[in-house]
Amino acid sequence: MNNNVRLVDLPPLRVASFHAYGASPERVVLAQMQAWAERHGYLDDGQQHRIFGFDNPIPSPGSPNYGYEVWFEVAPEQAGDGDETVTWKEMPGGRYAVLRCEALPDGSNIPAAWEALARWLEESHYHYPPQRQCLEEHLGHLALKPGHFVLDLYLPIEE
């Protein structure tokens, strides 16, 4: 697994942020983000827009509910469009340890991939800066239907 971890310097990004909360918020928020992106022509503009997500807030013991936030990369000069479902943010970027995860349809293998990345960190000379966000980059076409999907897991690191 250690050979599969790569180091990536992620540049600062301007993002449109979307959020959902519930027992399975990923599908809800990805559908919300996709509808917004389609309305604004982002899926037809010929550009590759990176999509990142993360738990926000993380699941609480004993509760099936948690939040998931999705960031859709836009041009640095992109102004707000008045849509109240969108929050505009500046992602600072930084160095990350990245591990690819070919997720099962139910996502059940994603926690094990995160654990493998955490073990890599423990064995490395890097440490985790708690002020930075762990991210899941959604790769390829948005798969809102059941099926396999691919994520790059981004663990922020510092020396």
Side-chain angles (χ1 to χ4, degrees):
M1 183 67 70
N2 286 354
N3 292 338
N4 296 328
V5 174
R6 62 192 192 282
L7 301 182
V8 172
D9 290 314
L10 194 60
L13 301 172
R14 177 133 171 95
V15 297
S17 174
F18 304 84
H19 187 264
Y21 186 82
S24 186
E26 293 90 349
R27 288 197 187 281
V28 173
V29 73
L30 285 168
Q32 177 187 19
M33 184 270 312
Q34 184 173 14
W36 173 87
E38 285 174 350
R39 274 194 317 273
H40 291 83
Y42 285 116
L43 300 182
D44 300 324
D45 67 3
Q47 296 182 25
Q48 178 66 32
H49 298 275
R50 297 176 86 173
I51 299 167
F52 296 92
F54 54 95
D55 290 347
N56 179 21
I58 61 173
S60 298
S63 173
N65 297 323
Y66 61 100
Y68 198 75
E69 186 169 340
V70 170
W71 291 348
F72 183 90
E73 179 188 17
V74 296
E77 67 278 359
Q78 176 68 44
D81 60 6
D83 188 332
E84 293 181 10
T85 64
V86 179
T87 303
W88 299 91
K89 296 185 176 184
E90 303 295 329
M91 189 185 100
R95 178 160 272 202
Y96 291 82
V98 179
L99 179 64
R100 180 144 304 162
C101 175
E102 294 186 21
L104 297 174
D106 65 357
S108 61
N109 64 329
I110 297 172
W114 275 113
E115 290 171 14
L117 197 51
R119 281 193 304 277
W120 174 89
L121 180 63
E122 291 172 1
E123 296 169 3
S124 76
H125 69 277
Y126 296 100
H127 70 275
Y128 172 75
Q131 72 279 13
R132 291 190 27 227
Q133 180 65 52
C134 293
L135 301 167
E136 298 171 343
E137 183 173 11
H138 297 255
L139 302 175
H141 188 271
L142 288 174
L144 297 177
K145 298 180 179 120
H148 291 294
F149 57 99
V150 179
L151 299 171
D152 272 349
L153 308 180
Y154 281 71
L155 178 68
I157 57 173
E158 290 180 342
E159 293 198 45

